[in-house]
Every structure is written in C-alpha cells, then in structure tokens.
C-alpha cells in the first residue's frame, strides 16, 4: 500500500497552546491527550484513541455509554454539550461524588 502513512492512533501536530503531558488537546476537530509537554506551536504527540481517566465537574454523574464533553475553560470533563467539545463516551459509571470519569476517546 503506497498510500498508507501511519496507524493514526497518535498524531504529531503543532500544539495549539502550551500543554503538559496528559492534558487534553483540542486542535480544530482533532481531540486527544498530550503524550508529552510542548510550548504553543511546538510539535506535540497527541494520542487520539484509547481510554483515559479525566477530571470531571464534581456535580456531573455519567452512566455507562454517556457522551462526555470537555470544558476548555475549567479543564474538566462535563455532561454539558453547549459550548464544549465532544471527547468520547464513558466506559463505566462515574457518580457525582467521584473526581474523574473514564473516557474512550472518539478519535475524530
């Protein structure tokens, strides 16, 4: 296959802002988790598939399979779609009294 370039589970892209390892990265429709730190505009490896534990809004509860969004201002996963970016789906329940939600990235 001459046209195959890579599997695509990790992408190397210019960081849209300064990021640390394990932070959510949103660059247009690319959504993933930084595999390392980078300054704004520097190349960063972003994991776009897989399951990650992410901090969430304390008041939000997620059921198995619920859509999870990212609030870039608070840097927390949320159940609120309006004004936020879709990350993926919860792969297990996360009650309101828990600090994180386990999310399978959608791999946009």
């Amino acid at each position: 296959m001459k046209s195959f370039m890579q599997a695509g589970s990790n992408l190397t892209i210019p960081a849209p802002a300064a990021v640390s390892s394990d932070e959510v990265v949103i660059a247009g429709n690319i959504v993933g988790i930084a595999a390392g730190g980078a300054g704004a505009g520097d190349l960063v490896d972003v994991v776009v598939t897989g399951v990650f534990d992410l901090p969430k809004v304390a008041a939000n509860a997620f059921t198995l399979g619920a859509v999870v969004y990212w609030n870039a201002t608070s840097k927390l996963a949320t159940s609120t779609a309006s004004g936020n970016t879709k990350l993926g789906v919860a792969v297990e329940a996360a009650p309101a009294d828990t600090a994180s939600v386990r999310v399978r990235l959608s791999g946009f």
Side-chain angles (χ1 to χ4, degrees):
M1 290 190 309
K2 294 179 184 179
S3 61
F4 180 81
M5 300 302 294
Q6 65 181 21
S9 58
N10 290 11
L11 301 174
T12 302
I13 62 171
V19 297
S20 297
S21 182
D22 291 327
E23 280 191 44
V24 171
V25 175
I26 300 171
N29 288 319
I30 297 172
V31 177
I33 307 298
D42 293 338
L43 293 179
V44 63
D45 289 331
V46 178
V47 182
V48 295
T49 60
V51 177
F52 295 85
D53 282 330
L54 298 173
K56 71 173 190 64
V57 172
N60 289 173
F62 294 90
T63 58
L64 174 66
V67 177
V68 179
Y69 300 91
W70 186 252
N71 181 314
T73 303
S74 68
K75 296 190 176 188
L76 295 172
T78 179
S79 58
T80 303
S82 180
N84 297 310
T85 303
K86 183 180 176 185
L87 281 179
V89 296
V91 297
E92 61 183 43
D97 62 351
T98 57
S100 64
V101 59
R102 188 160 289 171
V103 181
R104 180 188 179 275
L105 299 178
S106 294
F108 299 108

